[in-house]
Amino acid sequence: MSDDLFSDPFDGETLDLIVPSTLADIRVDRVLSMLTGLSRSEAHNILISGAVRVDDRVVLKASTVLARAND
């Protein structure tokens, strides 16, 4: 059994994801889960750790809804 109760699913790895416009108006935790294969709970933990940025801004709330990009 591991002593590490809160393991990092990416172990420090950095991902740059391009979110398709079809995922606009969806919560960031759900989008992160959909694009990475993480569970919603894993996505939530990554979010609250401050490791997620959207348009160069840190997103801490899983309930943040992604906006459609201005083309």
Side-chain angles (χ1 to χ4, degrees):
M1 180 182 244
S2 172
D3 291 332
D4 187 7
L5 296 177
F6 300 103
S7 64
D8 179 357
F10 287 109
D11 195 28
E13 182 178 351
T14 299
L15 298 175
D16 289 318
L17 301 172
I18 297 173
V19 178
S21 62
T22 55
L23 296 180
D25 303 323
I26 298 177
R27 291 170 51 120
V28 70
D29 61 337
R30 178 152 167 69
V31 171
L32 183 59
S33 176
M34 291 168 68
L35 294 178
T36 63
L38 294 171
S39 70
R40 292 272 295 269
S41 137
E42 290 171 322
H44 181 279
N45 289 337
I46 289 172
L47 281 160
I48 64 173
S49 77
V52 175
R53 291 178 174 264
V54 175
D55 295 330
D56 293 321
R57 293 185 179 168
V58 174
V59 176
L60 296 172
K61 287 185 158 186
S63 62
T64 301
V65 175
L66 295 177
R68 189 172 306 274
N70 296 327
D71 294 325

